[in-house]
Amino acid sequence: TMTAALLAASLWEQDRPEEASALLANRLDVLERSALPECVMLGYRTMARVAVAAGQEHRALELLGALDAVGVARKLPRLRIASLADQVRVHARSFRAQTCRELCFAMDAIYEQEQAERGPLWRRSVQPVKAIAHAYAAIADRKWRAALDPLARADATAREVKQGRLHIELLGLRAYVMDACGERAETLLREALDLAQVHGLKRIFADAHPGLGELVGRAASATPAPPRATPAPAATARAMPSMALTPKEREVLELLARNLSNKEIALAMNIGEETIKWHMKNLFAKLDAGTRKQLVARARILGLLAEPG
């Protein structure tokens, strides 16, 4: 189920919605019962975004409501907060300010109730989600300047923890809001567009907000097409890699990034080469990669590995 959620998100980013839907269609019940929270969120969010793009907003909201129910059943308030935040995102697309405010109020209430017991790591994982939801609520209310600060705070966290896809999305949203404020946003927007192209993220801006999609479309039509570069492998959506990979898989990945062979990795980890081959097979499946070089590149896009420096 973990691999299915990651692969479906990757297919969606590549603008292959039918394949993404088919992959998850019969797996949501398995996800909701036993999958890691990050995979549950990824699966439901992907299906909801496919539904929004197909003009089935009611279906998207049903899916996000089901995600909230999973959070209640499994006593995972982070799933509930993620559900409410994505519902804000959906309603902000149509500028339903009152609905967005009510959803933010419910989300904040859950956070206040849970934060003392959950600890700093939990708060750190949830705060950017809350910030983005409040930014969307401000956008829905057309209070553009009120959206800038929460977007900047969420983007700082995304960069700090190397959530590459989220950083690109937030760059785009910040450019959209700045443009709505009458400020120059070309540099920020160009950076977002270039990064999205390099990482093969075809859906990211239209997903974020239709207004941003229109802004990107205008920018693309007004800018001469640059020479085609060889694109990097398409990125899968972020699925909290620290949970998606086992500690051994992460160690193998880090050694692989140093250009070590399977035999050298086995020696470094003091385990058999056949075990390394097994870990490699799992890494190729989880990150949807075909070569060792591609595997390392995808891992860096997702923030599983630090950029070489």
Side-chain angles (χ1 to χ4, degrees):
T1 54
M2 181 187 304
T3 302
L6 286 165
L7 182 55
S10 177
L11 290 168
W12 172 240
E13 297 289 4
Q14 297 169 46
D15 203 15
R16 296 158 66 183
E18 294 83 4
E19 294 171 67
S21 295
L23 191 59
L24 287 173
N26 299 317
R27 288 183 169 89
L28 287 181
D29 58 338
V30 179
L31 279 173
E32 69 181 37
R33 286 197 307 271
S34 57
L36 295 170
E38 290 75 16
C39 291
V40 177
M41 284 191 285
L42 188 61
Y44 274 93
R45 280 174 167 172
T46 300
M47 289 292 283
R49 291 177 188 187
V50 171
V52 167
Q56 299 172 348
E57 184 184 290
H58 66 287
R59 171 62 177 157
L61 293 170
E62 285 175 0
L63 285 161
L64 294 172
L67 176 60
D68 181 70
V70 175
V72 172
R74 291 180 59 180
K75 296 181 172 60
L76 293 169
R78 190 149 60 92
L79 295 188
R80 300 198 64 199
I81 289 172
S83 165
L84 290 165
D86 261 43
Q87 289 179 58
V88 173
R89 178 192 185 106
V90 171
H91 287 291
R93 296 173 65 88
S94 299
F95 297 97
R96 300 185 190 116
Q98 182 60 32
T99 301
C100 289
R101 282 194 294 271
E102 291 170 358
L103 289 166
C104 282
F105 181 82
M107 178 186 65
D108 291 345
I110 294 171
Y111 177 81
E112 290 303 321
Q113 182 179 344
E114 298 287 341
Q115 62 157 329
E117 296 180 12
R118 299 286 170 172
L121 290 178
W122 184 88
R123 290 195 295 271
R124 182 178 176 80
S125 69
V126 167
Q127 284 167 351
V129 178
K130 286 177 71 263
I132 294 167
H134 280 280
Y136 270 113
I139 289 170
D141 207 13
R142 293 182 170 85
K143 294 181 178 177
W144 304 104
R145 293 199 180 277
L148 286 172
D149 180 60
L151 287 175
R153 283 189 282 111
D155 192 21
T157 302
R159 284 183 278 114
E160 184 179 345
V161 299
K162 301 187 184 301
Q163 290 188 343
R165 185 204 178 279
L166 181 58
H167 168 56
I168 297 168
E169 180 178 300
L170 289 168
L171 281 176
L173 279 170
R174 289 169 63 196
Y176 170 53
V177 170
M178 287 173 64
D179 182 74
C181 290
E183 299 179 9
R184 295 185 64 85
E186 292 87 350
T187 301
L188 207 60
L189 185 62
R190 177 49 54 193
E191 182 182 356
L193 286 168
D194 289 346
L195 286 169
Q197 183 178 25
V198 166
H199 296 324
L201 301 173
K202 297 181 180 179
R203 294 288 326 180
I204 188 166
F205 301 123
D207 266 2
H209 194 280
L212 173 57
E214 292 172 9
L215 180 64
V216 166
R218 292 197 301 272
S221 63
T223 306
R228 285 184 65 86
T230 303
T236 55
R238 174 79 171 181
M240 297 300 287
S242 60
M243 294 295 290
L245 301 186
T246 67
K248 288 293 185 185
E249 287 167 353
R250 291 180 66 82
E251 190 174 352
V252 170
L253 189 58
E254 288 166 2
L255 293 169
L256 176 64
R258 301 179 196 171
N259 295 318
L260 271 63
S261 65
N262 284 358
K263 184 175 182 179
E264 290 169 330
I265 294 172
L267 288 171
M269 295 179 63
N270 196 29
I271 56 179
E273 191 172 348
E274 288 303 312
T275 303
I276 297 302
K277 289 179 181 178
W278 172 255
H279 287 315
M280 289 294 295
K281 179 181 177 182
N282 289 338
L283 285 167
F284 280 124
K286 287 182 178 183
L287 299 187
D288 189 28
T291 67
R292 295 164 79 93
K293 184 177 179 181
Q294 190 180 51
L295 185 63
V296 171
R298 286 180 185 266
R300 288 206 169 104
I301 290 169
L302 289 171
L304 288 160
L305 290 169
E307 294 291 337

